[in-house]
Amino acid sequence: MAKVIHTNSAPAAVGPYSQAIDCGDLVFCSGQIPLVPETGAVVEGGIEAQTRQIFANIQAVLSEAGLGLKNIVKTTVFMTDLGQFGAFNDVYGWYFPENPPARSCVEVSKLPKGVAVEIEVIAKR
């Protein structure tokens, strides 16, 4: 049976969705944007700061499920400007220094609250 994952250490869902769903061996995390959990505001700074905030949020959600970044098997990245891919990738790579997960990265026209990047993940126990 699926279990809803929720933590106050990550931004609350702003619609009819859960932060993550635990399905036993797999945890499906909804897309995270760079919101500061305490304020709900977009983190200040460019793509690098936004990416770091997203990973802090992802880590908080995974931690609530008893997992960490090492459990991520797939990421999907949405960016509003692939011209920033190099700067994004530098930060992203810091979180996965070896054995990085599978990844898709696509450019989209807009993201919620005008952010530059959103990341969703799937993690495995």
Side-chain angles (χ1 to χ4, degrees):
M1 176 133 192
K3 175 184 171 191
V4 171
I5 301 297
H6 172 77
T7 178
N8 291 330
S9 299
V14 294
Y17 64 91
S18 299
Q19 290 172 323
I21 298 292
D22 186 334
C23 292
D25 282 350
L26 296 174
V27 174
F28 297 85
C29 296
S30 294
Q32 286 288 326
I33 61 173
L35 298 180
V36 177
E38 298 80 13
T39 65
V42 174
V43 71
E44 293 186 18
I47 190 81
E48 297 92 344
Q50 289 192 21
T51 303
R52 284 190 291 276
Q53 183 63 55
I54 288 170
F55 273 105
N57 296 343
I58 289 170
Q59 286 175 305
V61 173
L62 288 176
S63 178
E64 187 68 20
L67 302 173
L69 294 181
K70 68 183 181 331
N71 296 99
I72 296 173
V73 295
K74 172 72 167 81
T75 66
T76 304
V77 179
F78 305 93
M79 297 179 67
T80 57
D81 179 6
L82 283 177
Q84 297 185 53
F85 183 77
F88 162 80
N89 215 36
D90 288 345
V91 176
Y92 180 96
W94 186 87
Y95 292 93
F96 303 108
E98 55 186 44
N99 302 319
R103 178 177 76 181
S104 300
C105 184
V106 296
E107 183 175 284
V108 296
S109 63
K110 293 181 185 177
L111 288 167
K113 298 191 177 266
V115 302
V117 61
E118 178 177 353
I119 304 172
E120 66 180 33
V121 305
I122 300 170
K124 184 176 187 323
R125 286 198 161 73

